[in-house]
Amino acid sequence: MKNIFEKIKKSSPLPQLPQVMIQLIRACGKENTNIDEVTQIISRDAGLTAKLLAIIASSHVNLAKQVTTIKSAVVYLGLDTVRNIAISSSAMQFFKFSNATDNFNINRFWYHSYKCAVLAQRIAREKKQANSDQYFLAGLLHDIGTLLLMATFPEEYKEIEARVNQGQDEFDAQTDILDIDGPKVSAWLFKQWHLPPLISDAVGFLSQPPARIQEESDHIKILFMANLMAEPESTTVTKDAQDLTDIPTAVLNDIAVQAENEVHQTAKSLNLDPGDSEQGYHLLADDLKNVSLCFGTLDNLLRAKDVPTVFKTIQRGLEIIFHIPRIFFFLRDREKALLTGICAKEDRHYNIVTSIALAMNNTNSLIVKSVNTGNITTSIDKEDLAASDTQVIRALETPFLYAIPIPGQNGCSGAMVIGVDNDLSHTLDKNKTLLALFSRQAGTCLENLNFHERYARDISDKKMEAYATLTDKVVHEINNPITIIKNYLETLKLPQKHPALEDISVVKEEIGRVSSLLEGLTSFSKPKVEGALKTIDLNEMCRRILVVLEKSILALRQIRIQIDLDAGMPKATLDSNGLKQIIINLVKNAAEALEKGDEIRFKTKLVPGSAKVLIDEKRKLPGMAQITIQDNGPGIPSHIRERLFEPYNSTKPDAPNSGLGLFIVHSIVKGMQGRITYDSHRGKGTCFTILIPLAPDTDPSAPREEII
């Protein structure tokens, strides 16, 4: 027997499930994984190192710069992808020996192995065994010894197969010819892999007669039963299996049915027929690899915290599984009835893609058609393409485009647009089920992220509306008695030098002060958020306001201001009065928080990628303006930051109408369909950022830019 093992070592590369793989899978699965630790583990395995660097260096992976180190490969691919590559590599090594003989049916072998794994795990759970996953691993790999014998002794195994065809038990035939059987080789190999003794002991008994197993411990009985019950496409529980356990027959029958259903569904998803031996190893190997990587990608999608992470995860998954050279995304803006382009920032065509917009009523665009119909579209065999499709194909740097809709609850939320040639298009056509799984999961993730963002905005808006409504009611109720008192005092006639006249005068002053306060409350509850729309030069308007503020508020406090205005800012139609009020309030607030000699930085910028080109319509959309007002002051206290845009939330509680300025600013920005955010740190200052959509310049005399 010792000579057999020596010959196996010399003549066959052992299937790889070494400690390196186990350590790597465990390291990648930890919550706080250290990249250096993962890099060190990978560097111990030349084969895995070569595989990662080959993937990362592939021309199909569109990197901005070359990756030549293990660490940079891990950082780019991500820990989950590295883990999935390790798992799929191990699985492929396991099935590597399947084509050693002509009559070997890899499909049936896989079905039996996987079903044995599922049964062993389910029976172990029913028996309340710890570490049921170990039983799954034992069931999955229990016949690997037979594969090794087949690969090492191909001529001898032809004789073994001939005896099996004549009715002899396979394990007996192995022993007669090779003086060893598959289970003993499996047990030996498990020890080479340093797997737990529990499973290496159990697998070694699989060639024993059932009567011999009656006296053994539960872990041996469980694997033996699973092997007896693992006949493909069968739910029969033999008497030999029933005699090895105290599990009720009805429960054991349920386990058999559930296991068969699970394995059958898995086989169906792989297009695998256990009765068909023609599909061969390579088809199964590709399917297993793709499914392994696909589900790793889907798992990452479920944990994505923002839209860029969703796109990054999809892109990397598709790159590795299908060797896709490039992928762009077009997302639906329902308010504007547009699809807007987006891609990885590292892509050299980022500026082009993010500048493209497609009108949803554009019947000529294949990308729009994909979103409107919910079907895959491709430019292969298509003539007279829309200008936008031609532009996208040029950016993809491939002969054709392949648009996959991203489904959602209320119609498609966009499309994934892939660069393809004829071969890749054919591959994708064969894997439409897998692509649909990707796109459905992407759509679900996008809708969830959008829902949470909208929900947070709605809560904030409703709070503001509630404050305004309550204030209206309070103002109305107080105004009634105040009006009566004022009218009464005006009609009250007293003789000159009456002792009460002085007191009445004081009362009138106080009533006047209350009226002023009520007027301030009214302006707060109903701030002016819509002014006259004018076509303006935003930079010039900002410059004029800042000159006035610099000579008044800032000069008195000796506060400096730095102004940086984007020369590329286009003219646009805006509520100029509302914008002036925003700037004055924010600069004034900053100045009041600063000390002598402090500084304010004011900056305008056209948001990159926000200006869109409707190529087919030959017109431009002006995009969004960003205004930032940053100071180097003390920062906003944490108790104020928690409710920053709510009314009466101020660091100056004694000042009249304190805490209303930022609420009014927020309301005006919202009325302009914009957004305001802030970043503040104690001792480091505060920065307010306002994003305002720019309406097109309506001046008919303004020069029109050419659309390229």
Side-chain angles (χ1 to χ4, degrees):
M1 188 179 296
K2 183 177 180 182
N3 292 335
I4 291 286
F5 293 142
E6 291 300 323
K7 188 167 184 180
I8 289 174
K9 286 182 178 179
K10 291 178 181 179
S11 63
S12 298
L14 293 182
Q16 295 299 303
L17 190 65
Q19 289 302 98
V20 170
M21 291 293 188
I22 295 172
Q23 290 174 6
L24 179 61
I25 292 166
R26 287 175 179 169
C28 290
K30 290 192 299 187
E31 274 190 36
N32 300 314
T33 305
N34 186 303
I35 294 291
D36 291 327
E37 177 188 358
V38 172
T39 302
Q40 187 177 13
I41 293 171
I42 293 173
S43 65
R44 298 173 192 157
D45 189 304
L48 184 58
T49 299
K51 186 176 183 68
L52 289 181
L53 293 178
I55 289 174
I56 212 75
S58 168
S59 61
H60 299 297
V61 179
N62 181 35
L63 287 179
K65 61 180 180 179
Q66 189 176 12
V67 172
T68 56
T69 67
I70 298 174
K71 185 173 182 178
S72 55
V74 172
V75 170
Y76 175 77
L77 292 174
L79 293 172
D80 293 296
T81 299
V82 170
R83 180 192 61 201
N84 292 327
I85 289 172
I87 293 172
S88 61
S89 296
S90 299
M92 292 311 99
Q93 288 291 337
F94 171 40
F95 290 104
K96 188 174 183 179
F97 304 91
S98 62
N99 54 0
T101 64
D102 295 336
N103 298 323
F104 184 77
N105 186 336
I106 178 60
N107 299 341
R108 191 173 184 82
F109 179 87
W110 175 88
Y111 202 107
H112 171 76
S113 298
Y114 189 65
K115 186 173 180 180
C116 185
V118 174
L119 284 164
Q121 186 177 51
R122 288 177 179 268
I123 295 170
R125 287 174 179 168
E126 184 66 30
K127 295 288 291 181
K128 303 294 190 293
Q129 293 285 316
N131 300 320
S132 61
D133 288 345
Q134 291 186 11
Y135 289 91
F136 182 92
L137 185 61
L140 184 66
L141 302 179
H142 76 283
D143 265 346
I144 195 168
T146 294
L147 290 182
L148 270 177
L149 291 177
M150 198 181 296
T152 308
F153 306 101
E155 294 302 319
E156 290 86 342
Y157 218 87
K158 290 178 181 178
E159 176 62 25
I160 292 171
E161 286 184 332
R163 293 195 180 195
V164 171
N165 290 335
Q166 294 170 5
Q168 186 177 7
D169 178 79
E170 185 173 15
F171 294 150
D172 290 342
Q174 291 170 350
T175 303
D176 288 347
I177 294 177
L178 297 173
D179 198 29
I180 196 172
D181 58 39
K184 289 186 177 64
V185 177
S186 295
W188 169 78
L189 187 57
F190 282 17
K191 290 176 182 176
Q192 304 300 307
W193 288 340
H194 303 289
L195 295 179
L198 178 145
I199 55 178
S200 60
D201 289 346
V203 76
F205 281 84
L206 290 178
S207 59
Q208 299 296 319
R212 170 75 173 79
I213 306 301
Q214 290 279 4
E215 308 301 324
E216 299 300 332
S217 58
D218 277 349
H219 72 281
I220 293 174
K221 291 179 181 178
I222 289 171
L223 187 60
F224 197 92
M225 288 171 57
N227 188 44
L228 289 176
M229 297 165 60
E231 183 68 18
E233 299 184 318
S234 171
T235 57
T236 301
V237 181
T238 64
K239 187 176 184 303
D240 287 337
Q242 292 177 5
D243 290 344
L244 293 175
T245 183
D246 56 0
I247 297 175
T249 302
V251 175
L252 205 57
N253 285 331
D254 284 343
I255 290 174
V257 171
Q258 292 168 9
E260 173 60 28
N261 288 339
E262 179 179 338
V263 179
H264 178 76
Q265 289 299 319
T266 303
K268 186 178 179 181
S269 71
L270 294 171
N271 295 319
L272 188 150
D273 178 5
D276 181 7
S277 61
E278 297 300 322
Q279 287 175 284
Y281 162 72
H282 295 292
L283 175 61
L284 179 60
D286 288 342
D287 283 345
L288 283 174
K289 179 192 72 173
N290 291 346
V291 168
S292 170
L293 295 175
C294 172
F295 279 95
T297 300
L298 297 184
D299 182 53
N300 293 343
L301 277 176
L302 290 173
R303 290 179 284 172
K305 301 296 184 185
D306 51 48
V307 172
T309 304
V310 170
F311 292 150
K312 188 175 183 180
T313 302
I314 294 172
Q315 180 164 352
R316 289 184 177 176
L318 292 176
E319 280 175 352
I320 293 169
I321 295 172
F322 296 114
H323 305 302
I324 286 171
R326 234 189 201 100
I327 179 168
F328 301 150
F329 299 91
F330 284 83
L331 289 187
R332 190 171 192 169
D333 185 331
R334 296 184 186 275
E335 292 182 1
K336 299 178 181 178
L338 296 175
L339 289 178
T340 57
I342 188 171
C343 67
K345 287 189 175 181
E346 298 81 15
D347 195 295
R348 60 178 173 271
H349 294 311
Y350 174 79
N351 290 334
I352 294 175
V353 176
T354 55
S355 70
I356 295 175
L358 305 170
M360 290 304 300
N361 61 0
N362 184 348
T363 57
N364 296 321
S365 166
L366 291 171
I367 300 171
V368 173
K369 182 179 179 182
S370 175
V371 176
N372 284 335
T373 64
N375 297 320
I376 291 174
T377 60
T378 177
S379 63
I380 295 176
D381 298 327
K382 296 289 192 304
E383 297 180 359
D384 299 325
L385 294 177
S388 56
D389 291 335
T390 302
Q391 177 79 357
V392 171
I393 292 171
R394 192 179 301 129
L396 287 167
E397 297 181 346
T398 54
F400 313 106
L401 68 78
Y402 193 97
I404 304 165
I406 302 174
Q409 290 185 349
N410 301 313
C412 292
S413 55
M416 302 184 290
V417 181
I418 297 169
V420 298
D421 54 20
N422 281 307
D423 290 339
L424 180 54
S425 176
H426 183 62
T427 299
L428 296 179
D429 284 341
K430 290 194 301 182
N431 288 274
K432 284 185 178 179
T433 302
L434 203 58
L435 291 174
L437 188 62
F438 262 90
S439 61
R440 281 198 304 272
Q441 190 63 52
T444 300
C445 290
L446 290 174
E447 286 194 336
N448 286 341
L449 291 169
N450 289 334
F451 169 79
H452 289 298
E453 185 178 341
R454 287 197 310 271
Y455 180 76
R457 286 201 304 266
D458 288 346
I459 290 295
S460 176
D461 291 344
K462 283 181 172 57
K463 284 170 65 177
M464 300 303 184
E465 290 170 7
Y467 284 125
T469 301
L470 178 60
T471 302
D472 278 344
K473 291 180 179 178
V474 171
V475 169
H476 180 268
E477 293 301 320
I478 296 177
N479 258 329
N480 287 335
I482 289 294
T483 301
I484 293 172
I485 294 171
K486 284 174 68 177
N487 291 338
Y488 176 76
L489 292 176
E490 291 297 330
T491 59
L492 186 62
K493 303 297 183 182
L494 292 176
Q496 290 186 1
K497 299 183 180 180
H498 191 285
L501 284 176
E502 187 175 348
D503 294 336
I504 291 174
S505 176
V506 172
V507 171
K508 284 183 177 180
E509 289 177 6
E510 291 303 307
I511 291 294
R513 194 165 69 87
V514 171
S515 296
S516 297
L517 289 173
L518 289 176
E519 187 178 345
L521 286 173
T522 302
S523 66
F524 135 65
S525 66
K526 296 179 180 178
K528 184 180 179 181
V529 296
E530 292 185 3
L533 296 180
K534 294 181 180 179
T535 300
I536 62 168
D537 181 329
L538 185 142
N539 283 343
E540 184 58 31
M541 188 202 73
C542 290
R543 185 182 289 107
R544 288 200 304 268
I545 295 172
L546 293 174
V547 167
V548 174
L549 292 173
E550 188 175 15
K551 292 180 178 179
S552 55
I553 297 173
L554 302 182
L556 289 173
R557 296 174 176 269
Q558 297 184 31
I559 294 169
R560 304 188 308 275
I561 184 166
Q562 287 190 10
I563 302 173
D564 181 6
L565 304 178
D566 186 351
M569 186 73 68
K571 285 187 175 183
T573 303
L574 287 172
D575 172 10
S576 58
N577 289 333
L579 191 55
K580 289 176 185 177
Q581 194 170 354
I582 291 170
I583 295 171
I584 291 170
N585 271 336
L586 291 178
V587 173
K588 180 174 175 291
N589 277 0
E592 290 174 351
L594 299 179
E595 301 290 339
K596 177 181 176 181
D598 283 344
E599 182 178 86
I600 295 174
R601 295 182 179 181
F602 184 97
K603 183 176 181 180
T604 64
K605 182 174 72 171
L606 181 65
V607 177
S610 66
K612 302 294 182 182
V613 178
L614 290 165
I615 298 174
D616 297 325
E617 288 79 0
K618 296 184 178 180
R619 63 189 177 94
K620 289 186 176 182
L621 302 177
M624 297 190 84
Q626 176 180 293
I627 299 173
T628 56
I629 300 172
Q630 183 176 7
D631 65 59
N632 62 345
I636 302 171
S638 58
H639 69 281
I640 299 294
R641 288 201 302 268
E642 293 170 1
R643 300 169 43 243
L644 186 64
F645 295 111
E646 296 179 16
Y648 311 118
N649 180 33
S650 173
T651 57
K652 308 183 288 291
D654 297 329
N657 293 331
S658 63
L660 299 182
L662 285 180
F663 175 84
I664 293 172
V665 165
H666 182 277
S667 299
I668 296 173
V669 172
K670 181 188 172 188
M672 298 172 73
Q673 308 301 315
R675 185 159 50 97
I676 180 170
T677 58
Y678 72 94
D679 184 30
S680 183
H681 301 278
R682 294 293 285 172
K684 296 183 179 179
T686 301
C687 180
F688 282 94
T689 301
I690 304 101
L691 291 172
I692 300 173
L694 301 173
D697 184 357
T698 57
D699 183 356
S701 64
R704 300 297 176 190
E705 296 183 70
E706 291 293 324
I707 306 296
I708 298 175

